Structure formats: C-alpha cells, structure tokens
Amino acid sequence: MSLSFLKTNDEQIQGEKDSVGGSYTRESDVYRMKIVGAYLSTASSGAHALNVTFKDGDGEIKQTFWITSGKEKGCKPYYEKDGKKTFLPGFLQANSLCLLTADKEISDMVPEQKLVNIYNVDAKKEVPTQVPVLMDIIGKEIKVGLLKQTVNKNVKGGDGTYHPTNETRDENEVDKLFSASNDMTSTEIKAQAKEATFINTWLGKWKGVTKNKVKEVANPKVATSIGKPATSLFGA
C-alpha cells in the first residue's frame, strides 16, 4: 500500500499551525509516551485512518487520526472551502507524528502487513487481523499533549444508529505532539526555530483544564440499548 498520495508539498494547501485552539481518564497535560501500535484502516465511507496506541508506565492511550475524507469527497487529505484548501486536522497530526519520530512525511512511509489484535464488532472482542502497519514509528518515543474533555454520551436508538444524549462522559484526546528529544513541534522544526516555545504555550492554556465540548440536545433519540458504537475502531 503506497501512501504517496498524502504528500504535503502542495503550497496551495494550508498546513499545520501551532494553535491552542473513557475508563481511566488522564488530566490534561504533556505525557512522554512510546508508540506501541500504528496501523491503517479504511471506513465504510472510504475514509482512511491511522490508528495509534501510545503507552507509558500508567497505561495506554488510543487515538484514531482520520487522514482522508470519504469517497464522496474524493478520499483526499484536505478539504476545500471558499476556494481555499486546508489539510485535515487528523492528517496533520498523523504527519507530525511521522516527522517527529521517524523524520519522514507520512507519504514516504512504507506500511508492512502485520497481524494486529483489533476489536471486531461481530465477534464483540479483539481478534488478530492483518492490517498495514507503520513499523518505522513503532517503539519510538513522543511527547503527547493530551486533553481531558467532557462530551455528550452517545446511545443506540431505535433506528440502530448512535445518537447524542444530554448525558455526559469524560474522555482523552491527543491534541498536540512534541518531539521527545527537544520538545519542538513539527511546525517549529520546519521553521528552524532555535528553541521550543509552543509546548509552554500549550501547557499554559490546557494543563489541568478539562475542555467542555458538551452540546445541548433538544430532542434526544430514545435509546433501546447501550453498547459500543459500530464505527469505533477500538471498541471505546
């Protein structure tokens, strides 16, 4: 599987900027972690994702980075609005991860087919599945800017799909990535910055803060059962 279609050398597409814009949930902070899993998947919509597992002495954090749109929008790593192209946030995160750990753009990665234990909706458990794995970043260390956020809880409605409710839950989300060796972001490295500064900006805004992403649901669907969303790659 070639990732050459994910190249970032199109100057007409807006790149990444440094902006502070479940179970055990960590407090918002920067954590030094090791990448122990990184495989590619494709949703029924045709959208591609990089699924990463980060690990430290306190446990694992799993994050899905959506690196392209679905078939309806061309399976592209960017979107267009008002005649302007901008890379998808998930693509930028995945690309930064590759740059900061392997010194390669994601488009230069050569995935290898490996067996990985992945949650299977039908089996309702993790089963060995052959998937494309980015071996170049497995075992590498990275500093993860992890957010704790409160979101709407989704439940399964009578139509068989999941809908947001006014109940809430806390979760973690990878918000920013920093070099394990010098604390720099990929943006700072590309700009040939003399020292890392954004990590302190990020910590100043988010350390110990829980981000509220809850939206009021005017007419929540009546749930018939609560379970794992069918779209979840990790069964979270």
Side-chain angles (χ1 to χ4, degrees):
M1 179 181 182
S2 173
L3 299 180
S4 59
F5 69 103
L6 296 173
K7 286 186 178 294
T8 60
N9 58 358
D10 189 338
E11 295 181 356
Q12 294 183 346
I13 306 178
Q14 183 174 324
E16 182 178 22
K17 295 181 179 179
D18 290 341
S19 173
V20 284
S23 59
Y24 161 60
T25 307
R26 305 187 188 210
E27 296 302 313
S28 297
D29 205 343
V30 173
Y31 297 86
R32 188 186 187 97
M33 309 191 82
K34 181 178 289 187
I35 300 169
V36 296
Y39 70 91
L40 297 159
S41 64
T42 304
S44 58
S45 66
H48 299 288
L50 175 62
N51 310 280
V52 183
T53 301
F54 303 91
K55 186 176 182 179
D56 63 9
D58 293 322
E60 295 183 346
I61 293 293
K62 294 182 178 182
Q63 181 76 35
T64 298
F65 300 107
W66 291 100
I67 58 179
T68 76
S69 57
K71 294 176 183 177
E72 289 187 0
K73 296 183 179 180
C75 294
K76 298 175 181 178
Y78 62 87
Y79 65 90
E80 297 185 55
K81 184 177 181 181
D82 300 327
K84 185 177 182 180
K85 297 179 180 179
T86 303
F87 282 114
L88 298 174
F91 168 78
L92 291 173
Q93 291 275 48
N95 197 52
S96 288
L97 183 67
C98 294
L99 285 168
L100 293 170
T101 57
D103 198 26
K104 293 181 182 180
E105 299 250 353
I106 190 171
S107 58
D108 294 326
M109 292 286 173
V110 181
E112 299 180 29
Q113 291 294 322
K114 300 286 184 180
L115 281 176
V116 177
N117 288 328
I118 299 175
Y119 183 81
N120 183 284
V121 175
D122 295 326
K124 296 183 178 179
K125 64 179 182 179
E126 289 188 344
V127 297
T129 308
Q130 192 170 60
V131 289
V133 176
L134 300 190
M135 293 301 297
D136 284 348
I137 67 175
I138 300 294
K140 299 294 180 66
E141 292 192 333
I142 188 81
K143 287 188 176 180
V144 180
L146 196 66
L147 281 182
K148 179 182 179 182
Q149 55 190 24
T150 304
V151 299
N152 294 86
K153 183 183 292 185
N154 292 328
V155 297
K156 193 173 184 178
D159 57 359
T161 60
Y162 284 79
H163 303 275
T165 69
N166 286 315
E167 292 185 68
T168 64
R169 65 182 178 88
D170 288 338
E171 66 177 19
N172 283 132
E173 181 175 60
V174 175
D175 182 69
K176 198 67 180 176
L177 297 165
F178 307 92
S179 168
S181 62
N182 59 21
D183 290 345
M184 285 192 177
T185 64
S186 59
T187 303
E188 289 174 321
I189 292 173
K190 287 181 177 180
Q192 298 183 332
K194 294 183 178 179
E195 61 180 10
T197 59
F198 186 73
I199 190 170
N200 293 323
T201 301
W202 192 94
L203 285 167
K205 180 176 179 63
W206 292 118
K207 183 177 173 63
V209 175
T210 299
K211 185 176 183 178
N212 187 356
K213 296 183 69 176
V214 176
K215 295 181 180 180
E216 182 71 22
V217 181
N219 297 297
K221 303 284 186 179
V222 176
T224 57
S225 64
I226 298 177
K228 298 178 184 298
T231 56
S232 172
L233 291 163
F234 296 108

